[in-house]
Amino acid sequence: SVMSDPLTVVIPTRDRPDLLKLALASVYERQTRVPPVIVSDNSRAVHSEMVALQHKYGFTYVRQSGDVPLTEHHNACLGMARTPWVWMLHDDDEIMPGAIAEVESALADCGAIGLIVGGVEHISGKGDVVRSWAPAAGTMRGDTAARAIGLDWQARAPSQVFSVEAARRLGGYPNTAGVTGDYAFAVLMGSQFGVTFLPR
C-alpha cells in the first residue's frame, strides 16, 4: 500500500518565472521523493514559461485573479493543501537536497504540534551562501516555544512547515501593514500548538 502523503509544498508566485524555475527544480530534481506540489499564480500576465514549467513537472496550477492582496493570497495557499502539513515556499526559495525526506521523517515522530522549523541558508543571486543558521534540536511549547522562535529572526519562511489544522484554528497569517506576518504567525503557532526544531 502506498503511504498517504503527509505534506504538500505550496508556492505562491507572481511574475517571477525565472526564480520559480529554481524553486521547482529544488523540489523536483533534488529530492528523493516529491510530495504533492501546488503553484498559486497571482499574476495578471500569462507567462509562457509557466506553461512550460507546468508541462515539465505536472504540479497543480491554481490561477488567481492577479488582484488578491499578499496576505490573502498566502492564506488561500495555506488552505489549498489536502494533507495534514503544508510547506509554504516563496518563489525565490529553494529546498536543500534531501530536505523533504528529513521533514517527513520528523513529521512521523513529532506528535501533535503546530510547526516544524528547520535551518536556513541565505544565498546570493549567484547561489553563494551569504550566511546560514540551524536551530538546536528539540520540541517546545508555550512561552518557551514563543521565546525560541521570537528571539531568532531566522525562524521564518522557508524554514517553516505548518500543521494545516493548527493554521486553520489560528485563522491564518496576520496582515502586518500589508505584509504577511509569517514570523508572528510562527511565534503564535509554536506558543499555542508547539514547535519541533530540526538542526539542519
Side-chain angles (χ1 to χ4, degrees), residues 164-199:
V164 172
E165 173 61 17
R168 188 190 61 72
R169 284 169 60 186
L170 270 187
Y173 292 108
N175 183 339
T176 52
V179 177
T180 303
D182 61 345
Y183 184 53
F185 187 51
V187 172
L188 285 169
M189 187 76 84
S191 170
Q192 291 194 30
F193 298 99
V195 57
T196 290
F197 290 101
L198 286 185

Side-chain angles (χ1 to χ4, degrees), residues 80 92 121 140 152 158 173:
M80 288 177 190
D92 60 350
E121 284 183 344
M140 303 171 193
D152 213 309
Y173 292 108

Side-chain angles (χ1 to χ4, degrees), residues 14-197:
R14 182 184 178 115
D15 299 327
R16 302 202 294 187
D18 51 332
L19 289 171
L20 177 65
K21 186 177 182 177
L22 298 173
L24 287 166
S26 79
V27 176
Y28 283 96
E29 296 170 25
R30 288 191 224 150
Q31 307 303 319
T32 51
R33 205 185 82 74
V34 178
V37 177
I38 301 170
V39 173
S40 179
D41 186 4
N42 192 28
S43 173
R44 290 183 183 158
V46 175
H47 297 281
S48 59
E49 301 98 319
M50 187 68 79
V51 176
L53 287 169
Q54 209 278 329
H55 184 73
K56 179 177 183 178
Y57 293 124
F59 52 81
T60 300
Y61 179 69
V62 177
R63 179 85 193 187
Q64 304 291 347
S65 68
D67 296 316
V68 181
L70 188 64
T71 303
E72 279 182 40
H73 186 208
H74 287 159
N75 280 325
C77 288
L78 274 180
M80 288 177 190
R82 296 289 168 255
T83 53
W85 293 87
V86 60
W87 192 340
M88 287 275 292
L89 287 189
H90 298 164
D91 54 11
D92 60 350
D93 294 332
E94 296 176 43
I95 300 178
M96 292 178 75
I100 286 173
E102 284 187 48
V103 166
E104 289 187 340
S105 174
L107 292 176
D109 297 335
C110 68
I113 57 163
L115 82 155
I116 283 186
V117 172
V120 79
E121 284 183 344
H122 296 261
I123 56 174
S124 70
K126 296 182 179 132
D128 300 321
V129 177
V130 177
R131 61 182 173 166
S132 59
W133 170 81
T139 297
M140 303 171 193
R141 299 177 191 280
D143 290 349
T144 311
R147 273 196 298 276
I149 298 166
L151 291 174
D152 213 309
W153 183 88
Q154 310 296 342
R156 56 179 63 220
S159 70
Q160 307 164 341
V161 178
F162 294 108
S163 155
V164 172
E165 173 61 17
R168 188 190 61 72
R169 284 169 60 186
L170 270 187
Y173 292 108
N175 183 339
T176 52
V179 177
T180 303
D182 61 345
Y183 184 53
F185 187 51
V187 172
L188 285 169
M189 187 76 84
S191 170
Q192 291 194 30
F193 298 99
V195 57
T196 290
F197 290 101

